[in-house]
Amino acid sequence: MSDAPDPWTGDPTFLEGWPMSTPLDIRRGLTREEDVSFPLRWGIISASAIASDWIKSLQDVPGASVTAVAARDMDRAKAYAEAHGVATAYDSYADLCNDPNVDIVYIASKTWDHHRDLLTAIAAGKHVLCEKPFTDTASQAREVYAAADEAGVFCQEAMWTRFFPAIEHARAAMERGDIGELQVVQADYPDRVYALNPAVTGFGADEMPLIAAAGRAPRPQPHAGGIPSAHGGAPSAAVLQYTEQQGIAVITFPSGRFPEETQYIGTKGRITIETPSHHPSALTIRTGRPPRRGTRKDEGKPPLELDPSHGWNGDWVETHWNQDRNPSNGPFNHAERFEYPLPTPAPVTRGQPAGSRWTGEKLIRYKGWTWSGGNQHGFTYQAQAVHRCMAAGLSEMPQFTRAESLRVCEIIDEINRQCMERGF
């Protein structure tokens, strides 16, 4: 591996010898790319649309097999298993968790049942990947993670957003210092667990921010013992002040139409995670100057100087100099857009046929229902990372650690508390 390049020298599309979109677990040397072939037998809790997308995406992971599914009634479970080519169906989540042919359980049940289903799987000695929100409260999450540690099993919140190549690229760019010191994060999404993730991506989990929240009061859930939902209620908003890091996050949880963009704003530039930011395929990086590649600085010359006869000369990499003439882009208006198309067929709308694709080695025919929503095939990135991290014996995934999962839960708890007190 090469040494990490200076932000404005070397190849701007690489960090520490890796392409910017390289998964964090691989870039840190924690896992091996080939361990997507590590064998794991999956059991699926809940015969839901999102679980169907997960099963389809597992077909892009060479080591994955789905051995059992469970629903709340046997007729539904059998029909779901037949549609997805799964051998065993259960009408009991506990029975699935106790199946010796299941290594890891994917939980896609209702959020208010996650706490119960997580503890059931862990008690059976199974590894677990649970859809977000992980639990309704931080105290429930702490109990689950403590139980997983005691049982010695892998337990992970399935925050798939963190595994998209566009997010991996943005994380690497911030780590390299491309936008300087992070000052502001702006994000929006009706579901709090999504909208708050950029704040934790940018500022980390070490500091609990001061929070000022306003908006709709969350309603206690009768089926969850009166506990407010982690999803919260729209419209609402929160300002998070990271005093130690001298940064703020402005997060809105709207209803109706909304931009669904994420902005990371630093002292030297800005990163935009383009729409749809919770499952993105593109980002734009705006900085005050383009990358530099050359020897003028080493020769004692100014990196950029005006030649009256030929104009400006220097070591700058040629780029689009006049973008949108927006001064906030910086003195050189330097902006670069990076696109990472999803594996084909890229689901772009609810109800798109599952279809098939040629991987270069084999034809994959996606079993099960139609894709349930946009970009759902992006589950593939998270699925492959699970297999790599399990092969390496990791207890968590670096893209979304337990500390980050808990911090999001704690922030949601505080937002719920404030909105319960003075919300509308």
Side-chain angles (χ1 to χ4, degrees):
M1 289 299 160
S2 63
D3 293 334
D6 178 87
W8 304 117
T9 60
D11 191 330
T13 62
F14 280 76
L15 176 61
E16 299 172 352
W18 294 102
M20 297 291 280
S21 60
T22 302
L24 186 61
D25 56 290
I26 294 175
R27 182 160 61 83
R28 287 185 176 173
L30 301 174
T31 67
R32 304 183 306 169
E33 293 180 78
E34 60 266 31
D35 279 337
V36 292
S37 296
F38 179 74
L40 285 175
R41 299 171 297 177
W42 289 83
I44 309 298
I45 281 183
S46 179
S48 61
I50 196 157
S52 177
D53 293 337
W54 181 253
I55 294 171
K56 288 192 286 291
S57 295
L58 284 176
Q59 293 179 250
D60 287 278
V61 186
S65 59
V66 180
T67 54
V69 297
R72 285 173 291 181
D73 68 80
M74 185 56 78
D75 288 342
R76 179 174 173 81
K78 286 182 176 179
Y80 193 90
E82 181 179 356
H84 292 83
V86 179
T88 305
Y90 291 103
D91 60 359
S92 163
Y93 294 170
D95 287 348
L96 179 140
C97 292
N98 287 302
D99 186 335
N101 293 314
V102 170
D103 302 313
I104 183 169
V105 175
Y106 171 78
I107 295 176
S109 52
K110 298 296 184 183
T111 301
W112 57 78
D113 288 333
H114 284 182
H115 177 251
R116 177 201 67 193
D117 297 337
L118 280 158
L119 292 177
T120 298
I122 290 168
K126 295 297 191 286
H127 305 293
V128 189
L129 180 72
C130 181
E131 273 304 331
K132 90 299 294 170
F134 189 63
T135 55
D136 277 318
T137 66
S139 62
Q140 289 179 340
R142 292 190 195 98
E143 182 183 358
V144 168
Y145 285 133
D149 285 341
E150 185 176 351
V153 298
F154 176 89
C155 181
Q156 178 75 39
E157 181 176 358
M159 180 44 66
W160 69 317
T161 304
R162 293 291 193 95
F163 298 85
F164 276 75
I167 301 298
E168 300 277 14
H169 187 141
R171 184 191 293 112
M174 287 188 281
E175 181 181 326
R176 193 171 63 181
D178 288 14
I179 62 170
E181 294 294 323
L182 183 64
Q183 294 184 314
V184 178
V185 173
Q186 296 175 334
D188 63 337
Y189 197 74
D191 196 332
R192 290 173 181 174
V193 72
Y194 277 129
L196 288 166
N197 253 276
V200 178
T201 301
F203 292 114
D206 291 342
E207 181 181 356
M208 178 65 180
L210 299 173
I211 299 171
R216 186 172 300 281
R219 296 179 179 179
Q221 303 175 97
H223 35 261
I227 297 173
S229 169
H231 293 281
S236 53
V239 176
L240 316 180
Q241 177 175 308
Y242 289 87
T243 304
E244 296 173 12
Q245 300 175 72
Q246 299 183 14
I248 60 171
V250 181
I251 311 297
T252 55
F253 318 104
S255 56
R257 303 299 299 176
F258 53 96
E260 199 189 340
E261 287 184 350
T262 294
Q263 304 284 348
Y264 296 99
I265 304 169
T267 55
K268 296 181 180 179
R270 172 163 51 102
I271 296 173
T272 302
I273 308 298
E274 304 290 356
T275 303
S277 61
H278 84 287
H279 50 206
S281 59
L283 75 158
T284 301
I285 302 180
R286 297 171 173 86
T287 53
R289 58 182 68 182
R292 190 171 66 222
R293 188 182 302 146
T295 61
R296 295 177 61 87
K297 185 176 180 181
D298 295 337
E299 295 171 2
K301 299 177 182 178
L304 189 69
E305 63 181 345
L306 179 63
D307 183 326
S309 300
H310 300 93
W312 289 100
N313 294 319
D315 293 334
W316 307 107
V317 177
E318 291 188 11
T319 58
H320 302 288
W321 288 79
N322 290 314
Q323 296 300 329
D324 55 6
R325 298 187 180 276
N326 179 355
S328 70
N329 283 347
F332 293 106
N333 295 329
H334 176 66
E336 290 182 289
R337 180 182 171 95
F338 302 89
E339 297 192 6
Y340 296 99
L342 270 67
T344 53
V348 294
T349 185
R350 187 179 302 276
Q352 178 176 329
S356 62
R357 78 179 182 99
W358 175 253
T359 68
E361 297 180 352
K362 64 177 181 178
L363 180 68
I364 297 179
R365 298 186 185 278
Y366 294 102
K367 301 172 184 176
W369 300 347
T370 59
W371 297 101
S372 68
N375 288 357
Q376 290 298 132
H377 202 176
F379 269 157
T380 298
Y381 307 123
Q382 179 179 246
Q384 292 174 344
V386 170
H387 282 250
R388 293 193 303 266
C389 290
M390 288 287 293
L394 302 182
S395 60
E396 63 180 5
M397 302 165 79
Q399 283 90 341
F400 193 57
T401 65
R402 289 185 182 184
E404 292 174 316
S405 171
L406 285 168
R407 184 62 78 206
V408 172
C409 290
E410 290 167 346
I411 294 172
I412 289 174
D413 281 354
E414 178 59 18
I415 292 172
N416 276 344
R417 185 191 69 79
Q418 292 188 27
C419 288
M420 285 283 285
E421 287 183 354
R422 53 181 181 269
F424 45 79

